[in-house]
Amino acid sequence: MQINESRQPSVNGGKLKIAIILPYFNDLLGIELYENTAAELQTQGVKKENITLYRVSGSLELPFAAQKIITKEKPDALIALGIVIEGETKHFDLVVETTHQGLMEVQLKHNAPIAFGILACKNKEQAIARIDKNQLNKGKEFAQAALIQATI
């Protein structure tokens, strides 16, 4: 790959094991985000049986679940998905910042790649635009990020 290339390199994921954690909070949107992420992993050669989905209550539970999964299952990469939609209080900021910091600490502590797939959106419409495979399709981007990290 040339240093000035701006596109993601293609990765052969044939032998990779990928764990995905998805909160139940904002479940319908989350499921679509997961499906787009899993579809891209398979497009890049990851076998369906090598993609394991774990569910947690909400985004704040992601760091602990990531730590447990990395310790027990030892995936080649982990993708932490979630959708946090801003409300009327500071809870939004606390959830996003705490989750991000927790996931960063886990990946550095365990030397394990974690793709941060948390969408922090102002409203549901913004979330839909980022999830939809015909729009921004962030699930595809999160899958690609995880695969690149897994092969470093």
Side-chain angles (χ1 to χ4, degrees):
M1 181 169 97
Q2 298 291 329
I3 193 84
N4 61 356
E5 285 187 43
S6 62
R7 64 179 178 81
Q8 297 273 7
S10 184
V11 175
N12 181 355
K15 295 181 180 177
L16 298 176
K17 287 177 28 181
I18 308 295
I20 301 174
I21 313 173
L22 176 67
Y24 287 107
F25 205 81
N26 289 317
D27 200 37
L28 293 178
L29 296 171
I31 289 170
E32 186 174 350
L33 179 61
Y34 163 74
E35 288 172 348
N36 292 341
T37 304
E40 178 62 15
L41 291 171
Q42 290 176 55
T43 296
Q44 297 295 328
V46 179
K47 296 180 179 99
K48 189 174 184 176
E49 60 269 17
N50 287 343
I51 303 169
T52 306
L53 174 64
Y54 299 88
R55 302 298 305 265
V56 295
S57 296
S59 292
L60 286 173
E61 288 74 35
L62 289 168
F64 180 73
Q67 183 166 277
K68 295 284 280 189
I69 293 163
I70 288 167
T71 302
K72 280 179 76 175
E73 305 299 327
K74 302 193 184 333
D76 295 298
L78 185 141
I79 305 170
L81 297 177
I83 298 150
V84 184
I85 299 175
E86 188 172 16
E88 297 177 6
T89 67
K90 286 190 62 80
H91 184 70
F92 170 83
D93 297 322
L94 296 171
V95 169
V96 174
E97 288 177 31
T98 303
T99 302
H100 182 270
Q101 186 61 42
L103 289 169
M104 183 61 69
E105 288 175 15
V106 169
Q107 84 172 332
L108 294 175
K109 176 183 175 184
H110 294 280
N111 196 30
I114 299 176
F116 185 80
I118 315 300
L119 297 174
C121 302
K122 291 203 171 285
N123 52 51
K124 187 176 179 179
E125 293 74 27
Q126 210 177 56
I128 291 168
R130 283 157 177 73
I131 292 165
D132 190 316
K133 68 181 175 184
N134 297 314
Q135 293 187 51
L136 295 175
N137 196 0
K138 292 295 183 176
K140 179 179 180 177
E141 289 180 26
F142 301 146
Q144 291 171 346
L147 291 172
I148 290 168
Q149 285 182 303
T151 59
I152 291 177

